[in-house]
């Protein structure tokens, strides 16, 4: 039946009706709030390119987690800024590493949190790459895949032992999920799930994060391990392989410029799907809002709703607290 019998606007005329027929709903439970942990006590250092985001010492992280939890956001992902970096990423896997310490403090002080540990080496390597670097000549180098795997596995085990509930490898080395699963199982950590950053693209939208986490590569870029943004079919293959290696959940990252990848992954795989609204996505919205060029609150909710509508079950976002406040 077409117009005039059918009038699409009937279901849009009242907010009560609009909300009854709304197909996609956001709630604070599907949001994950990222925290950047730095050394010291009482430190809350604003990240220049991410207004509203700060590096937090673990006591400040506890306060932040309490506030997030009071708003209904109980899932956190932790990144670390270690005191020292080296060529074997000691800070990533040592038992008194910066994230390990914060995880213990958060678990002790704030009951009911779900902690996700980002498993990557770039923040802990002096060269800022996500894997072991081998010089192949005076000017050439290689990111060594297989030599990186035991370090990632060791990091995942150490994080889980410190109280992290879910480990999330974001390095994009081949075979890391299997290596991590094996190591967790050998250490009586059979119930620790793996959330794999399976389809992680080499993106310019990570720019502000590298300032926040002090993790910019000192030479070269990440294009030999992170995916080419032009590839959708290859993203499906990455996800398939990570699931075959034992990933429990998978992630697409970034989110907004890759909604088609999220939708394709949703259609194809019946596992929980996460999407990361990354630092550059956050920074763009904050910058436009600060200039009064967009309505900040509406743009935040619209972008998160789009990511959910595309098929993500879980959204990692620096807006987690803001969104939870608006949804309350
Ligand atoms: C670590 C990692 C990065 C992000 C999450 N984990 C940075 C990168 O790959 O360079 C980016 C998150 C963001 O931009 O918000 N490898």
């Amino acid at each position: 039946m077409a117009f005039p019998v059918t009038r699409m606007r009937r279901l849009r005329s009242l907010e009560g009706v609009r909300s009854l027929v709304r197909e996609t709903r956001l709630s604070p439970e599907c949001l994950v709030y990222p925290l950047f942990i730095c050394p010291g006590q009482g430190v809350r250092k604003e990240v220049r390119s991410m207004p509203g985001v700060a590096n937090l010492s673990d006591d400040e992280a506890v306060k932040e987690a309490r506030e997030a939890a009071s708003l209904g956001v109980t899932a956190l992902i932790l990144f670390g800024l270690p005191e020292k970096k080296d060529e074997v990423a000691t800070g990533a896997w040592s038992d008194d590493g910066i994230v390990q310490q914060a995880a213990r403090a958060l678990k002790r002080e704030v009951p009911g949190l779900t902690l996700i540990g980002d498993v990557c080496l770039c923040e802990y390597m002096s060269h800022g790459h996500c894997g072991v670097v081998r010089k192949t000549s005076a000017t050439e180098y290689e990111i060594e895949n297989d030599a990186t795997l035991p370090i990632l596995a060791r990091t995942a085990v150490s994080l889980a032992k410190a109280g992290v509930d879910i480990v999330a490898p974001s390095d994009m080395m081949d075979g890391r999920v299997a290596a991590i699963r094996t190591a967790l199982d050998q250490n009586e950590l059979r119930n620790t799930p793996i959330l794999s950053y399976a389809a992680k693209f080499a993106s310019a939208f990570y720019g502000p994060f590298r300032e926040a986490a002090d993790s910019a590569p000192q030479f070269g870029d990440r294009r030999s391990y992170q995916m080419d943004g032009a590839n959708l079919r290859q993203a499906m293959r990455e996800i398939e392989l990570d699931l075959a290696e034992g990933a429990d959940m998978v992630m697409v990252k970034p989110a907004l410029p890759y909604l088609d990848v999220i939708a394709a992954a949703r259609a194809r795989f019946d596992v929980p799907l996460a999407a990361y609204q990354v630092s550059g996505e956050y920074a763009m919205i904050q910058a436009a809002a600060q200039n009064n060029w967009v309505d900040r609150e509406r743009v935040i909710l619209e972008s998160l709703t789009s990511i959910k509508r595309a098929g993500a079950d879980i959204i990692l976002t620096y807006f987690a607290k803001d969104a939870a406040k608006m949804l309350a």
Side-chain angles (χ1 to χ4, degrees):
M1 232 40 114
F3 178 83
V5 175
T6 299
R7 288 180 183 269
M8 295 304 280
R9 290 182 56 192
R10 268 184 213 123
L11 298 181
R12 290 180 206 140
S13 57
L14 295 170
E15 174 48 28
V17 178
R18 287 195 293 271
S19 80
L20 272 179
V21 302
R22 193 158 289 138
E23 297 172 28
T24 305
R25 289 172 203 278
L26 282 175
S27 81
E29 293 129 68
C30 68
L31 303 177
V32 177
Y33 186 39
L35 296 184
F36 297 98
I37 315 292
C38 67
Q41 288 291 298
V43 182
R44 181 173 277 266
K45 183 169 161 270
E46 179 104 347
V47 179
R48 192 188 48 88
S49 53
M50 299 178 75
V53 173
N55 293 165
L56 306 170
S57 52
D58 55 17
D59 56 324
E60 289 293 322
V62 164
K63 289 186 202 159
E64 193 68 20
R66 254 193 216 115
E67 193 194 336
S70 74
L71 295 164
V73 177
T74 52
L76 306 175
I77 184 160
L78 305 178
F79 298 97
L81 292 94
E83 204 116 42
K84 285 195 297 279
K85 303 177 192 252
D86 58 28
E87 308 268 301
V88 288
T90 307
W93 46 261
S94 74
D95 287 338
D96 59 356
I98 189 93
V99 171
Q100 285 82 349
Q101 287 183 34
R104 281 187 217 106
L106 287 163
K107 279 287 179 181
R108 190 176 58 233
E109 304 290 334
V110 194
L113 292 179
T114 301
L115 298 182
I116 306 177
D118 182 85
V119 178
C120 196
L121 308 181
C122 56
E123 298 127 68
Y124 308 94
M125 289 285 205
S126 36
H127 46 63
H129 278 288
C130 304
V132 173
V133 172
R134 187 170 62 94
K135 268 188 156 311
T136 49
S137 75
T139 51
E140 315 265 294
Y141 65 91
E142 195 194 322
I143 312 298
E144 283 201 300
N145 192 87
D146 298 15
T148 305
L149 301 182
I151 312 182
L152 292 168
R154 190 169 179 183
T155 301
V157 168
S158 162
L159 290 170
K161 282 187 174 160
V164 158
D165 301 291
I166 298 171
V167 291
S170 69
D171 53 282
M172 288 301 278
M173 297 300 126
D174 290 316
R176 85 280 174 82
V177 173
I180 289 171
R181 184 72 269 157
T182 304
L184 289 171
D185 291 357
Q186 281 168 352
N187 284 275
E188 308 294 328
L189 295 160
R190 285 181 199 87
N191 285 327
T192 303
I194 299 175
L195 163 60
S196 165
Y197 288 69
K200 176 172 177 179
F201 293 91
S203 172
F205 286 96
Y206 305 152
F209 174 95
R210 293 180 188 169
E211 184 193 327
D214 185 27
S215 65
Q218 299 302 301
F219 48 85
D221 56 44
R222 303 212 200 289
R223 278 182 269 203
S224 79
Y225 41 107
Q226 298 180 350
M227 286 187 62
D228 183 332
N231 295 342
L232 171 72
R233 291 190 299 271
Q234 195 180 80
M236 299 302 109
R237 208 154 164 242
E238 285 282 1
I239 294 172
E240 202 173 322
L241 288 167
D242 281 7
L243 291 173
E245 286 181 29
D248 302 280
M249 303 176 268
V250 292
M251 195 193 302
V252 173
K253 176 187 175 193
L256 218 47
Y258 295 87
L259 291 180
D260 57 327
V261 180
I262 298 173
R266 172 74 299 151
R268 196 142 152 181
F269 302 103
D270 292 327
V271 293
L273 179 62
Y276 200 142
Q277 181 179 53
V278 300
S279 56
E281 299 177 63
Y282 174 86
M284 287 197 303
I285 293 175
Q286 290 294 68
Q290 283 182 350
N291 280 292
N292 287 317
W293 292 341
V294 295
D295 179 329
R296 180 175 182 275
E297 299 208 333
R298 290 185 56 204
V299 168
I300 292 172
L301 289 184
E302 189 173 336
S303 64
L304 294 173
T305 301
S306 304
I307 296 165
K308 193 98 197 285
R309 188 194 61 234
D313 303 300
I314 303 163
I315 307 175
L316 293 80
T317 175
Y318 303 99
F319 289 123
K321 275 195 322 180
D322 306 83
K325 272 180 213 157
M326 287 182 258
L327 294 168

